[in-house]
Amino acid sequence: MRPKNRKGEFVVFKNPYIRTIIASNALLNLGIWVRNFAILLYVTDLTHNDPVYVSLISVAEFMPIFLFAIIGGTFADRWRPKRTMISCDLLSAASIFIVLLALWYGSWQVLLLSTFFSAILSQFSQPSAMKIFKQHVAPEQLQGVMALFQSLMALFMVIGPVIGTFIYQHFGIYISMSITGILFLISALVLTRIPQDEQALEIDNQPPHFIQELKEGIRYVWNNRTLRTLGGTFTVIGLAVGLIQPLMVFVAIENLGQNKEFLQWPLMANGAAMLVGGGLIMGVAKKVQPQLLLVTGLLVSTLTTFGVGWSHNIVLTMALQVFSGLFYPCIHIGINTMMMKNAEAAFIGRVGGALSPLFSGMMVVGMSIGGTLKHESSLNTVYTVSAGLFLVGATLLLPLLRDRRPVQAVIADDSEKQHKKPPLER
């Protein structure tokens, strides 16, 4: 089932499951960056940089996580992962081309529907990918795999803004959206290469009813102290991220006195630093507790968010973006590793589905009020509030830092309290 490496080193390209999903994610990331930057620049052109409309773009992207994450996670535990992922990519591609037709005859608001629908489908495909990892990656290698995917995301934070801006400025919204649709189609084609041994992914003794499975997933998270604490942190940092997510373009325009296209450069600096940070964490992934990684990332985000909000100097802002990027992988890798290591294979989708809405729901709340809060106060104030929330999120995790029991022991103890049946064999 799982790749064995006698030297203790994880060679990712020898694992066909990981290799295929990496290729698919690379295509999806590129398509998403092209789409998102095209929509952002197109909408700011039409609305003359209206912060409310800019915030709506992010709301359309993240609202589905709140609405559909638990549903998608539950179905991901029931369905075959490969088939689910391919179907989602095909439907995302189809939605892009349908939106292009509507855009030709309608208004720009239809672009938000493309983002909204694609985000819904991702709530079904992402848990399916995590399910495959749980089955085909050894537990001690999971943190390294999460670091690898963080590095992939960071790479596209470097090249994505440049490619997205270039394509939109030279070819316009229609070509940009068409390229996104084509990349989604190619991703679906790549996923057909996932090995056909998914019978091993079937879960025995599945409850026959969807609602019963959904309730079991929620109880599973609530009865696990680590996952429950992580949920509280998700709630706080979701609001912190949501407040500033749509407003970065105003850091470029108002604080730094640049045009909106300048946004690509701080994003590139942040992404390049994330790429380096992800690589560094891969080297120490097995030696550091994921909760320590997460706390470290949140404390650094506290300092850098406050600094970016108040900085009017381009060099200082870029330096803060680099510093933030170096430690941001700690957040992503810490969160994903904690979820993967503290959940049984049969509950992977539902654990993510139960926790993600806590983050995304508050993120949507933050994005919905971020533009208004900026209107009523200032950009500095919004960033200061966000920094304070990151600090609260780190504080909530402190009790977990004192828990020195091995992760697997924690899982076993919690599982015995929750289930009469023995945990699934990993």
Side-chain angles (χ1 to χ4, degrees):
M1 286 289 296
R2 286 179 176 145
K4 295 181 179 179
N5 193 323
R6 294 178 180 176
K7 296 182 179 180
E9 298 177 353
F10 179 62
V11 184
V12 67
F13 291 106
K14 291 185 179 180
N15 186 317
Y17 298 93
I18 306 301
R19 184 173 64 238
T20 304
I21 295 176
I22 284 176
S24 169
N25 267 262
L27 292 164
L28 291 176
N29 269 282
L30 181 56
I32 289 169
W33 273 105
V34 171
R35 180 197 67 193
N36 288 356
F37 248 74
I39 292 176
L40 173 64
L41 297 175
Y42 186 68
V43 170
T44 53
D45 283 341
L46 289 179
T47 64
H48 306 290
N49 304 323
D50 190 307
V52 175
Y53 285 110
V54 172
S55 296
L56 282 177
I57 299 173
S58 297
V59 171
E61 183 177 357
F62 292 99
M63 176 67 82
I65 304 176
F66 173 66
L67 297 176
F68 293 95
I70 185 63
I71 297 173
T74 303
F75 276 115
D77 283 338
R78 296 168 64 95
W79 294 343
R80 290 188 176 186
K82 176 180 176 180
R83 183 182 301 172
T84 302
M85 295 167 69
I86 292 174
S87 299
C88 288
D89 285 357
L90 290 174
L91 289 171
S92 291
S95 73
I96 293 291
F97 296 115
I98 292 172
V99 164
L100 276 174
L101 283 175
L103 182 63
W104 183 264
Y105 294 102
S107 64
W108 65 266
Q109 286 88 346
V110 74
L111 291 171
L112 301 181
L113 294 178
S114 168
T115 303
F116 187 82
F117 186 68
S118 179
I120 291 174
L121 293 171
S122 71
Q123 304 316 302
F124 294 83
S125 63
Q126 289 177 0
S128 298
M130 294 300 106
K131 190 179 182 75
I132 290 177
F133 293 158
K134 186 68 175 182
Q135 289 287 338
H136 295 280
V137 179
E140 65 273 11
Q141 296 168 343
L142 284 173
Q143 192 151 302
V145 173
M146 293 301 103
L148 177 63
F149 272 79
Q150 170 62 44
S151 297
L152 179 67
M153 184 173 70
L155 174 63
F156 280 97
M157 285 195 69
V158 177
I159 65 175
V162 177
I163 295 174
T165 301
F166 177 85
I167 292 175
Y168 173 75
Q169 289 180 335
H170 286 78
F171 303 104
I173 188 66
Y174 294 100
I175 295 298
S176 298
M177 297 295 287
S178 298
I179 289 174
T180 297
I182 291 170
L183 289 168
F184 287 171
L185 285 174
I186 298 174
S187 173
L189 181 63
V190 168
L191 288 173
T192 62
R193 298 183 61 85
I194 291 179
Q196 297 286 348
D197 67 341
E198 296 195 50
Q199 291 300 323
L201 299 179
E202 297 295 330
I203 304 300
D204 295 330
N205 301 318
Q206 274 192 337
H209 301 297
F210 170 82
I211 297 299
Q212 184 179 348
E213 285 186 306
L214 189 150
K215 290 179 179 178
E216 283 194 358
I218 295 174
R219 282 197 301 268
Y220 186 87
V221 172
W222 181 254
N223 291 330
N224 186 304
R225 184 171 68 92
T226 300
L227 296 177
R228 189 169 63 246
T229 302
L230 193 59
T233 301
F234 264 41
T235 303
V236 175
I237 66 174
L239 181 59
V241 173
L243 286 173
I244 61 175
Q245 176 79 18
L247 302 182
M248 187 63 193
V249 66
F250 298 104
V251 170
I253 295 171
E254 296 182 8
N255 281 10
L256 303 181
Q258 304 295 315
N259 57 33
K260 60 181 179 293
E261 284 78 14
F262 182 81
L263 176 61
Q264 63 183 299
W265 302 115
L267 288 179
M268 284 179 59
N270 186 260
M274 284 172 58
L275 188 60
V276 174
L280 293 174
I281 293 175
M282 285 180 69
V284 300
K286 295 181 180 179
K287 303 176 183 178
V288 182
Q289 289 181 310
Q291 55 266 41
L292 179 58
L293 286 178
L294 181 52
V295 169
T296 301
L298 292 176
L299 290 176
V300 172
S301 291
T302 300
L303 297 174
T304 55
T305 299
F306 181 83
V308 168
W310 286 88
S311 170
H312 292 266
N313 182 279
I314 292 178
V315 174
L316 176 59
T317 298
M318 296 292 282
L320 289 168
Q321 287 291 97
V322 169
F323 190 58
S324 173
L326 284 172
F327 286 88
Y328 181 80
C330 294
I331 298 177
H332 184 269
I333 296 167
I335 285 173
N336 282 283
T337 304
M338 288 176 71
M339 286 197 298
M340 294 284 282
K341 286 190 173 183
N342 284 276
E344 300 174 56
F347 288 88
I348 284 293
R350 281 167 286 179
V351 167
L355 293 178
S356 294
L358 299 175
F359 177 86
S360 58
M362 295 307 296
M363 191 173 181
V364 170
V365 170
M367 290 186 293
S368 300
I369 65 176
T372 302
L373 184 58
K374 176 186 176 298
H375 268 309
E376 298 298 326
S377 56
S378 66
L379 188 66
N380 301 340
T381 300
V382 178
Y383 270 76
T384 300
V385 172
S386 177
L389 290 169
F390 277 120
L391 181 60
V392 172
T395 304
L396 292 176
L397 289 168
L398 293 181
L400 295 183
L401 294 179
R402 295 193 291 267
D403 191 348
R404 298 297 179 181
R405 288 183 297 165
V407 173
Q408 296 299 326
V410 175
I411 298 173
D413 290 347
D414 288 338
S415 296
E416 289 174 4
K417 297 176 183 177
Q418 297 168 44
H419 303 287
K420 294 181 180 179
K421 60 182 181 181
L424 294 175
E425 181 180 353
R426 295 197 176 103

